[in-house]
Amino acid sequence: AAVGAAFDFGDNVFLEVELPLANSAIGKGMTITSFDWLVSYRDGEWQFAGSKNQPALLAEIPFLARGAVGNDWINLIVGRTEHQMGSGFTGNMVVGNNFPYQELMKLSATSNIFTYNVSFTHFDNQSSATEFERAHFGGHHQNRVIHRFDFNILDKIRAVVNFGATYWATSAFDFRFFTPFMIAHNYYNNSSDRFIESPHDEANNIFSVEIEAALIPGLSLGAQFVMDQVQMAHETAPLPNAFGGLLNLAWTEHLENSSYTVWLEGAYTTPYLYLNEKYNDEELTDPNYNYDWILGYFYNDYQASTMNYSGYPYGPDSIVIAAGAQYDNYEHHIKADGRLVY
């Protein structure tokens, strides 16, 4: 459950905040709660003013706090919100909605035939494969920049190209990664880079293509293919190629005030997709292929964190076959003036 408020100014400015109402056990004798002033986050028991001597577990609330400004052609979204790219049902290969929230800034330029957006996502600094450092403003942080080129072909085919990088840096806004036509393939965060100290934590560069096609009215086909750390012909570094793919088929039927969709989807990712820290030593000669790039957000001193992969929620080395159905009754979304809102 949650409580929230929203504000919009005409069709150009929108602000929204939502506070979760949570008080549930998460293990290790702790309870995740948004009532830290009233309920102990360690054992869920009642407490009163003056008895609390520890920081709240949910120091990261609210999970939703975002603002948007724009018009029909360009818009900017900033805040803490959900975020994904693609129309996969079990997830998406480049940017998946894998966290309760993501700290996001996205700029989009839109037209009927072409849309470009660049999204910047901030994550807390990972100190090992399973935990994150204490929340702080300075120091190292994980950052992800994705450029998305979206083409609408005759309203029948949607072709998308995504490329970008996830990188570890003391300065989030490294302008090399924000240039839409700068290929990030040759960027490595090693000891020669000024914004990094570790010689073994590389930028994780990624590239993908997506196709969505309307086969017949109501029937659609979707496909995604992602490449991660793919080497060119002249490159001889002992790094494994990594890729993943997703394919789905969906049937949608629209009724008067509702719709339903039936879908079938399959996905495959290789064992080396989303890898990070591929070497162990200063000379970058000792490969370490078993350290996946895990991202997320830090909550408190007791390592209660939200962690997942940057892209597909099931991560590398996965084979997924899934089917499902969903129903949407959008009658309650229609305002008095006839606008459809979500």
Side-chain angles (χ1 to χ4, degrees), residues 61-83:
I61 63 171
F63 284 0
L64 181 89
R66 60 191 177 189
V69 58
N71 52 36
D72 292 339
W73 303 281
I74 189 167
N75 64 79
L76 174 68
I77 299 173
V78 179
R80 178 172 287 174
T81 183
E82 296 181 350
H83 179 42

Side-chain angles (χ1 to χ4, degrees), residues 191-247:
S191 56
S192 64
D193 288 326
R194 295 181 179 179
F195 65 92
I196 204 70
E197 296 177 0
S198 172
H200 53 253
D201 203 346
E202 302 172 355
N204 194 58
N205 312 310
I206 202 160
F207 172 84
S208 80
V209 293
E210 303 175 23
I211 296 291
E212 298 177 24
L215 303 181
I216 60 174
L219 183 64
S220 62
L221 175 71
Q224 299 179 21
F225 178 75
V226 61
M227 297 186 298
D228 178 11
Q229 300 293 346
V230 172
Q231 297 186 62
M232 302 293 105
H234 64 280
E235 296 174 324
T236 59
L239 296 176
N241 291 333
F243 60 89
L246 181 147
L247 184 67

Side-chain angles (χ1 to χ4, degrees), residues 254-269:
H254 292 278
L255 306 177
E256 183 178 358
N257 290 316
S258 62
S259 67
Y260 66 86
T261 300
V262 180
W263 55 268
L264 176 67
E265 183 168 273
Y268 169 73
T269 59

